[in-house]
Amino acid sequence: MKAERETGDGEPVEFLILEDSRFDAELLVEALRIAQPGALTRVVGTEADFVEALEAGPPALILSDYELPGFTGAQALEIAQRLVPDVPFIFVSGVIGEDNAVELLKRGATDYVSKGRLARLPSVLERALQESHDRRVRQAAQRSLQEANATFARAEHRRLALIELGDRIRDLDDPGDIAFAASELLGREMQVDRAGYGIVDIAVETIAIERDWCAPGVASLAGLLHFRDYGSYIDDLRRGVTVAFPDSYEDPRTRDNAAALEAITARAAVNMPLTEKGGLVGLLYLNHGVARPWLDGELAFMREVGERVRTAIARREAQADLKALADSLERQVAERTRERDRTWALSQDLLGVANASGFFESVNPAWESALGWTREEVRTQPFRNFLHPDDLAATEAELQRLSDGSRTLGFENRWRTKAGDYRWLSWTAVPDEGLLYTVARDVTEQKEGAAELEAAREQLRQSQKLEAVGQLTGGLAHDFNNLLAAISGSLELMHRRGLEGRWADIERYVGVAQGAAKRAAALTHRLLAFSRRQTLAPKLVDVNRLVAGMEDLVRRTMGPQIELEAVAAVGLWKVLADPSQLESALLNLCINARDAMPEGGKLTIETGNRWVDARTARTRDLAPGQYVSLCVSDNGVGMAPEVAARAFDPFFTTKPIGMGTGLGLSMIYGFAKQSGGQVRIYSEVGKGTMVCIYLPRNMVDEETADEAVVAAATPRAEQGDTVLVVDDEPALRMLIVEAMQDLGYATLEAGDGAEALKLLQSDLRIDLLLSDVGLPGGMNGRQVADAARLVRPDLKVLFITGYAENAVLSHGHLAPGMHVMTKPFEMDVLARRVKELT
């Protein structure tokens, strides 16, 4: 083993040479240099120098001569064994005999080397150093083992102490007794002057000590102590930190109050906080009158004791609380049982418990008072025997739901009374462990009252309908009387001026009559739109393009005081609607918005795609699906809820007399509903109004729609074509025939469907069927056209219709080659339309 290995840290070791011969000493030094490079050597020649060298510090190895002046090697061996017993001792001598060498080895020498055989020295040194190293390792291991045994013994002793503590506190109920048992164990085990447990009031920073364990001659601290009287360590205890100080005079938390602590025999102390739910509730403490260290093992043992104390006290307190709760619950159960029995007996509801076999196992007295059957009669018959025959199927279905684990709430059926009549019962039932717990209430009077209330409501609805009809007919009578007065007055004056020969005024009266007739037609169109009976000409409409095309018109109509903003949605879907009606509706909404902003404001027209789910559809009276919204909003005066609720009523208006007919929104509402959509009003007084028209998205692609339009648009016919006029009104039929003849058409006429069908089935040339829709004789105009198409597939058809036949025309959705005009119409307009089709 090299010398560096002996130090363990790389430092060179020192060899001590005891030799009085300088020459021999130099030989040994040289031999050591070769055998142990880097090793230090010290040479001494006297006993005094030898002792001094050993007292300065143990060398790694001693090399000694046997014979020395006034001093022997044997004596040097004794000195070395006394001062440095673990250092190897090797004799290097030329005169030592075999017997002396053996004797010296017996006394403790490590080895000997003859001066004449120094070649052995390296191996002797190596063996001696290795044995020294091994000896030190064994000694260190022995010390570690001894310490481990001591630690284990202490741990075992403390484990047994904890077992003893557990045995002692197992039968203790009082928290104070538990705390004292732990304190006594800690005090004796830790050999301190005092050990105890106290309840901490963190708000006032005090500890209440009931009693503590004290060594003989040490006073108890039982009572109330204030933490601040003994230092500032309460701040650490608040945070749950254990406070341990070996000497109160040296700890900064207690230095200023050290005298007070020493006065209560607490110069050294441990204060271990016990917490519950994150809060400080108790304190386990150790006190000692003199300074002493607190080892980690001691603190760990104290912590274990503290945890057991806290757990034991918490368990006893919980047991006490549980016992108190159990006593309270027992009293409550007894009281609730009495209350339940009283409720069972006194309840007017029919209470019962039924089994899976269809029998009631128990019922309360209310059954007898409600149905006349005794409780015994109810229990001994299957409850299905009491049911009204018409209610058996529904009751069986509800019983099946109960058997599946569902609950019943508000199920109603009829039960037969002992007198033979039936009473309505409303049931609440809950299944539990194979039984049905039921509550039934007699609702016969409520049902009868509800029926009477519904009858009263129906009468009210009828009266409201009559009121609405009265309002409608009153408005119609007023407006049509004015228009008829203008028409009849013009005709009368035309007759007079004709008799008088004053022909110059005739044209003016004709204009007045025609104007009144046009206003009457517009009024009927509005009424038809409200009733959703107008005739529509639906086309594929790009609403963004329609709004853009009307923007200039709307801007001029609004005037300079109103700011107009159009917000067009990107990727807006197409709709199938009558574009002229949609334009009219948009303009009407803009005019209403303008009138709501007399001082000016902002009007916004906005389009958008809308997905309407089932929940939203219910609130907006729409079918779920995809819609295009056209919204007109203003920041005008707004409407109160009661006004908004009546906004769609015919002839209802908030505008001054002469400024509104009350049919604008009604017309928009009818148009939207007839187009498969809806109209909604959102308004708030003082903030403005928004009206939104919702139209269903058209799912047919644009190319297909265009093809349909092209297919319906056939080329014009040559002059001389034949028109069949079918109308049951002779005067109107005569006017139409004459107008057609004036255009050079050959005409045929019929007064009903049967007569027209005979002509259509003949060989006569007919290029256009011009027919009223409502015809007498059991065949309407649409049926005539459909029958004619069977024999004349390419026949052009132009329907003329009033208000009631729109359903016959499939609500405006006509086959290619079929067209419609709405009465009344001007003859010139009819003539132009016929020319377009022939």
Side-chain angles (χ1 to χ4, degrees), residues 795-811:
L795 180 67
K796 307 294 190 306
V797 180
L798 177 60
F799 293 110
I800 50 177
T801 178
Y803 73 94
E805 303 89 352
N806 189 44
V808 176
L809 298 179
S810 301
H811 300 281

mmCIF file with all atom_site columns, all heavy atoms in Angstrom, residues 795-811:
data_model
loop_
_atom_site.group_PDB
_atom_site.id
_atom_site.type_symbol
_atom_site.label_atom_id
_atom_site.label_alt_id
_atom_site.label_comp_id
_atom_site.label_asym_id
_atom_site.label_entity_id
_atom_site.label_seq_id
_atom_site.pdbx_PDB_ins_code
_atom_site.Cartn_x
_atom_site.Cartn_y
_atom_site.Cartn_z
_atom_site.occupancy
_atom_site.B_iso_or_equiv
_atom_site.pdbx_formal_charge
_atom_site.auth_seq_id
_atom_site.auth_comp_id
_atom_site.auth_asym_id
_atom_site.auth_atom_id
_atom_site.pdbx_PDB_model_num
ATOM 1   N N   . LEU A 1 795 ? -100.195 23.580 -73.700 1.00 0.00 ? 795 LEU A N   1
ATOM 2   C CA  . LEU A 1 795 ? -101.144 24.681 -73.579 1.00 0.00 ? 795 LEU A CA  1
ATOM 3   C C   . LEU A 1 795 ? -100.645 25.704 -72.571 1.00 0.00 ? 795 LEU A C   1
ATOM 4   O O   . LEU A 1 795 ? -100.260 25.356 -71.450 1.00 0.00 ? 795 LEU A O   1
ATOM 5   C CB  . LEU A 1 795 ? -102.514 24.139 -73.150 1.00 0.00 ? 795 LEU A CB  1
ATOM 6   C CG  . LEU A 1 795 ? -103.616 25.188 -72.971 1.00 0.00 ? 795 LEU A CG  1
ATOM 7   C CD1 . LEU A 1 795 ? -103.980 25.820 -74.324 1.00 0.00 ? 795 LEU A CD1 1
ATOM 8   C CD2 . LEU A 1 795 ? -104.870 24.545 -72.336 1.00 0.00 ? 795 LEU A CD2 1
ATOM 9   N N   . LYS A 1 796 ? -100.670 26.993 -73.003 1.00 0.00 ? 796 LYS A N   1
ATOM 10  C CA  . LYS A 1 796 ? -100.351 28.078 -72.079 1.00 0.00 ? 796 LYS A CA  1
ATOM 11  C C   . LYS A 1 796 ? -101.590 28.378 -71.241 1.00 0.00 ? 796 LYS A C   1
ATOM 12  O O   . LYS A 1 796 ? -102.712 28.345 -71.740 1.00 0.00 ? 796 LYS A O   1
ATOM 13  C CB  . LYS A 1 796 ? -99.917  29.341 -72.828 1.00 0.00 ? 796 LYS A CB  1
ATOM 14  C CG  . LYS A 1 796 ? -98.800  29.125 -73.829 1.00 0.00 ? 796 LYS A CG  1
ATOM 15  C CD  . LYS A 1 796 ? -97.520  28.746 -73.162 1.00 0.00 ? 796 LYS A CD  1
ATOM 16  C CE  . LYS A 1 796 ? -96.374  28.786 -74.153 1.00 0.00 ? 796 LYS A CE  1
ATOM 17  N NZ  . LYS A 1 796 ? -96.623  27.976 -75.358 1.00 0.00 ? 796 LYS A NZ  1
ATOM 18  N N   . VAL A 1 797 ? -101.356 28.715 -69.929 1.00 0.00 ? 797 VAL A N   1
ATOM 19  C CA  . VAL A 1 797 ? -102.467 28.959 -69.003 1.00 0.00 ? 797 VAL A CA  1
ATOM 20  C C   . VAL A 1 797 ? -102.190 30.253 -68.259 1.00 0.00 ? 797 VAL A C   1
ATOM 21  O O   . VAL A 1 797 ? -101.087 30.467 -67.742 1.00 0.00 ? 797 VAL A O   1
ATOM 22  C CB  . VAL A 1 797 ? -102.639 27.807 -68.003 1.00 0.00 ? 797 VAL A CB  1
ATOM 23  C CG1 . VAL A 1 797 ? -103.803 28.100 -67.056 1.00 0.00 ? 797 VAL A CG1 1
ATOM 24  C CG2 . VAL A 1 797 ? -102.874 26.493 -68.736 1.00 0.00 ? 797 VAL A CG2 1
ATOM 25  N N   . LEU A 1 798 ? -103.222 31.121 -68.237 1.00 0.00 ? 798 LEU A N   1
ATOM 26  C CA  . LEU A 1 798 ? -103.143 32.343 -67.424 1.00 0.00 ? 798 LEU A CA  1
ATOM 27  C C   . LEU A 1 798 ? -104.357 32.359 -66.509 1.00 0.00 ? 798 LEU A C   1
ATOM 28  O O   . LEU A 1 798 ? -105.493 32.438 -66.983 1.00 0.00 ? 798 LEU A O   1
ATOM 29  C CB  . LEU A 1 798 ? -103.134 33.588 -68.308 1.00 0.00 ? 798 LEU A CB  1
ATOM 30  C CG  . LEU A 1 798 ? -103.132 34.937 -67.562 1.00 0.00 ? 798 LEU A CG  1
ATOM 31  C CD1 . LEU A 1 798 ? -101.901 35.056 -66.671 1.00 0.00 ? 798 LEU A CD1 1
ATOM 32  C CD2 . LEU A 1 798 ? -103.190 36.108 -68.541 1.00 0.00 ? 798 LEU A CD2 1
ATOM 33  N N   . PHE A 1 799 ? -104.097 32.201 -65.203 1.00 0.00 ? 799 PHE A N   1
ATOM 34  C CA  . PHE A 1 799 ? -105.177 32.241 -64.214 1.00 0.00 ? 799 PHE A CA  1
ATOM 35  C C   . PHE A 1 799 ? -105.433 33.681 -63.800 1.00 0.00 ? 799 PHE A C   1
ATOM 36  O O   . PHE A 1 799 ? -104.497 34.481 -63.642 1.00 0.00 ? 799 PHE A O   1
ATOM 37  C CB  . PHE A 1 799 ? -104.804 31.430 -62.972 1.00 0.00 ? 799 PHE A CB  1
ATOM 38  C CG  . PHE A 1 799 ? -104.703 29.948 -63.211 1.00 0.00 ? 799 PHE A CG  1
ATOM 39  C CD1 . PHE A 1 799 ? -103.468 29.314 -63.176 1.00 0.00 ? 799 PHE A CD1 1
ATOM 40  C CD2 . PHE A 1 799 ? -105.837 29.192 -63.473 1.00 0.00 ? 799 PHE A CD2 1
ATOM 41  C CE1 . PHE A 1 799 ? -103.365 27.956 -63.384 1.00 0.00 ? 799 PHE A CE1 1
ATOM 42  C CE2 . PHE A 1 799 ? -105.734 27.827 -63.686 1.00 0.00 ? 799 PHE A CE2 1
ATOM 43  C CZ  . PHE A 1 799 ? -104.494 27.207 -63.653 1.00 0.00 ? 799 PHE A CZ  1
ATOM 44  N N   . ILE A 1 800 ? -106.721 33.997 -63.605 1.00 0.00 ? 800 ILE A N   1
ATOM 45  C CA  . ILE A 1 800 ? -107.091 35.273 -62.988 1.00 0.00 ? 800 ILE A CA  1
ATOM 46  C C   . ILE A 1 800 ? -107.827 34.923 -61.704 1.00 0.00 ? 800 ILE A C   1
ATOM 47  O O   . ILE A 1 800 ? -108.754 34.120 -61.703 1.00 0.00 ? 800 ILE A O   1
ATOM 48  C CB  . ILE A 1 800 ? -107.953 36.137 -63.935 1.00 0.00 ? 800 ILE A CB  1
ATOM 49  C CG1 . ILE A 1 800 ? -109.129 35.334 -64.505 1.00 0.00 ? 800 ILE A CG1 1
ATOM 50  C CG2 . ILE A 1 800 ? -107.110 36.727 -65.043 1.00 0.00 ? 800 ILE A CG2 1
ATOM 51  C CD1 . ILE A 1 800 ? -110.052 36.154 -65.401 1.00 0.00 ? 800 ILE A CD1 1
ATOM 52  N N   . THR A 1 801 ? -107.358 35.489 -60.571 1.00 0.00 ? 801 THR A N   1
ATOM 53  C CA  . THR A 1 801 ? -107.863 35.023 -59.274 1.00 0.00 ? 801 THR A CA  1
ATOM 54  C C   . THR A 1 801 ? -108.173 36.190 -58.366 1.00 0.00 ? 801 THR A C   1
ATOM 55  O O   . THR A 1 801 ? -107.600 37.283 -58.495 1.00 0.00 ? 801 THR A O   1
ATOM 56  C CB  . THR A 1 801 ? -106.824 34.114 -58.602 1.00 0.00 ? 801 THR A CB  1
ATOM 57  O OG1 . THR A 1 801 ? -107.323 33.708 -57.320 1.00 0.00 ? 801 THR A OG1 1
ATOM 58  C CG2 . THR A 1 801 ? -105.511 34.837 -58.382 1.00 0.00 ? 801 THR A CG2 1
ATOM 59  N N   . GLY A 1 802 ? -109.111 35.932 -57.474 1.00 0.00 ? 802 GLY A N   1
ATOM 60  C CA  . GLY A 1 802 ? -109.432 36.896 -56.422 1.00 0.00 ? 802 GLY A CA  1
ATOM 61  C C   . GLY A 1 802 ? -108.634 36.595 -55.173 1.00 0.00 ? 802 GLY A C   1
ATOM 62  O O   . GLY A 1 802 ? -107.424 36.482 -55.216 1.00 0.00 ? 802 GLY A O   1
ATOM 63  N N   . TYR A 1 803 ? -109.332 36.341 -54.057 1.00 0.00 ? 803 TYR A N   1
ATOM 64  C CA  . TYR A 1 803 ? -108.610 36.167 -52.794 1.00 0.00 ? 803 TYR A CA  1
ATOM 65  C C   . TYR A 1 803 ? -108.666 34.758 -52.255 1.00 0.00 ? 803 TYR A C   1
ATOM 66  O O   . TYR A 1 803 ? -107.802 34.345 -51.509 1.00 0.00 ? 803 TYR A O   1
ATOM 67  C CB  . TYR A 1 803 ? -109.189 37.103 -51.734 1.00 0.00 ? 803 TYR A CB  1
ATOM 68  C CG  . TYR A 1 803 ? -110.547 36.672 -51.229 1.00 0.00 ? 803 TYR A CG  1
ATOM 69  C CD1 . TYR A 1 803 ? -110.660 35.878 -50.085 1.00 0.00 ? 803 TYR A CD1 1
ATOM 70  C CD2 . TYR A 1 803 ? -111.699 37.010 -51.905 1.00 0.00 ? 803 TYR A CD2 1
ATOM 71  C CE1 . TYR A 1 803 ? -111.903 35.463 -49.631 1.00 0.00 ? 803 TYR A CE1 1
ATOM 72  C CE2 . TYR A 1 803 ? -112.933 36.604 -51.459 1.00 0.00 ? 803 TYR A CE2 1
ATOM 73  C CZ  . TYR A 1 803 ? -113.037 35.842 -50.315 1.00 0.00 ? 803 TYR A CZ  1
ATOM 74  O OH  . TYR A 1 803 ? -114.259 35.431 -49.884 1.00 0.00 ? 803 TYR A OH  1
ATOM 75  N N   . ALA A 1 804 ? -109.716 33.992 -52.587 1.00 0.00 ? 804 ALA A N   1
ATOM 76  C CA  . ALA A 1 804 ? -109.968 32.764 -51.855 1.00 0.00 ? 804 ALA A CA  1
ATOM 77  C C   . ALA A 1 804 ? -109.365 31.533 -52.503 1.00 0.00 ? 804 ALA A C   1
ATOM 78  O O   . ALA A 1 804 ? -109.391 30.462 -51.934 1.00 0.00 ? 804 ALA A O   1
ATOM 79  C CB  . ALA A 1 804 ? -111.484 32.553 -51.696 1.00 0.00 ? 804 ALA A CB  1
ATOM 80  N N   . GLU A 1 805 ? -108.849 31.677 -53.720 1.00 0.00 ? 805 GLU A N   1
ATOM 81  C CA  . GLU A 1 805 ? -108.462 30.467 -54.444 1.00 0.00 ? 805 GLU A CA  1
ATOM 82  C C   . GLU A 1 805 ? -106.967 30.199 -54.412 1.00 0.00 ? 805 GLU A C   1
ATOM 83  O O   . GLU A 1 805 ? -106.467 29.376 -55.177 1.00 0.00 ? 805 GLU A O   1
ATOM 84  C CB  . GLU A 1 805 ? -108.908 30.565 -55.923 1.00 0.00 ? 805 GLU A CB  1
ATOM 85  C CG  . GLU A 1 805 ? -110.382 30.802 -56.112 1.00 0.00 ? 805 GLU A CG  1
ATOM 86  C CD  . GLU A 1 805 ? -110.728 32.289 -56.137 1.00 0.00 ? 805 GLU A CD  1
ATOM 87  O OE1 . GLU A 1 805 ? -109.822 33.098 -55.853 1.00 0.00 ? 805 GLU A OE1 1
ATOM 88  O OE2 . GLU A 1 805 ? -111.871 32.637 -56.412 1.00 0.00 ? 805 GLU A OE2 1
ATOM 89  N N   . ASN A 1 806 ? -106.223 30.903 -53.595 1.00 0.00 ? 806 ASN A N   1
ATOM 90  C CA  . ASN A 1 806 ? -104.764 30.743 -53.649 1.00 0.00 ? 806 ASN A CA  1
ATOM 91  C C   . ASN A 1 806 ? -104.321 29.327 -53.310 1.00 0.00 ? 806 ASN A C   1
ATOM 92  O O   . ASN A 1 806 ? -103.349 28.820 -53.853 1.00 0.00 ? 806 ASN A O   1
ATOM 93  C CB  . ASN A 1 806 ? -104.103 31.736 -52.689 1.00 0.00 ? 806 ASN A CB  1
ATOM 94  C CG  . ASN A 1 806 ? -102.599 31.755 -52.876 1.00 0.00 ? 806 ASN A CG  1
ATOM 95  O OD1 . ASN A 1 806 ? -102.129 31.769 -53.990 1.00 0.00 ? 806 ASN A OD1 1
ATOM 96  N ND2 . ASN A 1 806 ? -101.874 31.731 -51.772 1.00 0.00 ? 806 ASN A ND2 1
ATOM 97  N N   . ALA A 1 807 ? -105.024 28.662 -52.386 1.00 0.00 ? 807 ALA A N   1
ATOM 98  C CA  . ALA A 1 807 ? -104.664 27.287 -52.039 1.00 0.00 ? 807 ALA A CA  1
ATOM 99  C C   . ALA A 1 807 ? -104.817 26.362 -53.240 1.00 0.00 ? 807 ALA A C   1
ATOM 100 O O   . ALA A 1 807 ? -104.052 25.412 -53.417 1.00 0.00 ? 807 ALA A O   1
ATOM 101 C CB  . ALA A 1 807 ? -105.524 26.791 -50.879 1.00 0.00 ? 807 ALA A CB  1
ATOM 102 N N   . VAL A 1 808 ? -105.813 26.667 -54.107 1.00 0.00 ? 808 VAL A N   1
ATOM 103 C CA  . VAL A 1 808 ? -106.010 25.869 -55.313 1.00 0.00 ? 808 VAL A CA  1
ATOM 104 C C   . VAL A 1 808 ? -104.793 25.970 -56.225 1.00 0.00 ? 808 VAL A C   1
ATOM 105 O O   . VAL A 1 808 ? -104.420 25.033 -56.915 1.00 0.00 ? 808 VAL A O   1
ATOM 106 C CB  . VAL A 1 808 ? -107.292 26.326 -56.041 1.00 0.00 ? 808 VAL A CB  1
ATOM 107 C CG1 . VAL A 1 808 ? -107.467 25.575 -57.355 1.00 0.00 ? 808 VAL A CG1 1
ATOM 108 C CG2 . VAL A 1 808 ? -108.502 26.134 -55.136 1.00 0.00 ? 808 VAL A CG2 1
ATOM 109 N N   . LEU A 1 809 ? -104.131 27.125 -56.181 1.00 0.00 ? 809 LEU A N   1
ATOM 110 C CA  . LEU A 1 809 ? -102.960 27.351 -57.021 1.00 0.00 ? 809 LEU A CA  1
ATOM 111 C C   . LEU A 1 809 ? -101.673 26.937 -56.324 1.00 0.00 ? 809 LEU A C   1
ATOM 112 O O   . LEU A 1 809 ? -100.591 27.376 -56.701 1.00 0.00 ? 809 LEU A O   1
ATOM 113 C CB  . LEU A 1 809 ? -102.876 28.830 -57.402 1.00 0.00 ? 809 LEU A CB  1
ATOM 114 C CG  . LEU A 1 809 ? -104.058 29.366 -58.226 1.00 0.00 ? 809 LEU A CG  1
ATOM 115 C CD1 . LEU A 1 809 ? -103.862 30.839 -58.508 1.00 0.00 ? 809 LEU A CD1 1
ATOM 116 C CD2 . LEU A 1 809 ? -104.201 28.599 -59.534 1.00 0.00 ? 809 LEU A CD2 1
ATOM 117 N N   . SER A 1 810 ? -101.768 26.095 -55.290 1.00 0.00 ? 810 SER A N   1
ATOM 118 C CA  . SER A 1 810 ? -100.586 25.591 -54.566 1.00 0.00 ? 810 SER A CA  1
ATOM 119 C C   . SER A 1 810 ? -99.770  26.745 -53.992 1.00 0.00 ? 810 SER A C   1
ATOM 120 O O   . SER A 1 810 ? -98.547  26.748 -54.022 1.00 0.00 ? 810 SER A O   1
ATOM 121 C CB  . SER A 1 810 ? -99.702  24.738 -55.489 1.00 0.00 ? 810 SER A CB  1
ATOM 122 O OG  . SER A 1 810 ? -100.430 23.648 -55.982 1.00 0.00 ? 810 SER A OG  1
ATOM 123 N N   . HIS A 1 811 ? -100.481 27.781 -53.505 1.00 0.00 ? 811 HIS A N   1
ATOM 124 C CA  . HIS A 1 811 ? -99.837  28.926 -52.851 1.00 0.00 ? 811 HIS A CA  1
ATOM 125 C C   . HIS A 1 811 ? -98.798  29.574 -53.750 1.00 0.00 ? 811 HIS A C   1
ATOM 126 O O   . HIS A 1 811 ? -97.725  29.989 -53.307 1.00 0.00 ? 811 HIS A O   1
ATOM 127 C CB  . HIS A 1 811 ? -99.202  28.501 -51.524 1.00 0.00 ? 811 HIS A CB  1
ATOM 128 C CG  . HIS A 1 811 ? -100.199 27.955 -50.568 1.00 0.00 ? 811 HIS A CG  1
ATOM 129 N ND1 . HIS A 1 811 ? -101.035 28.757 -49.817 1.00 0.00 ? 811 HIS A ND1 1
ATOM 130 C CD2 . HIS A 1 811 ? -100.538 26.665 -50.270 1.00 0.00 ? 811 HIS A CD2 1
ATOM 131 C CE1 . HIS A 1 811 ? -101.824 28.001 -49.071 1.00 0.00 ? 811 HIS A CE1 1
ATOM 132 N NE2 . HIS A 1 811 ? -101.543 26.723 -49.330 1.00 0.00 ? 811 HIS A NE2 1
#
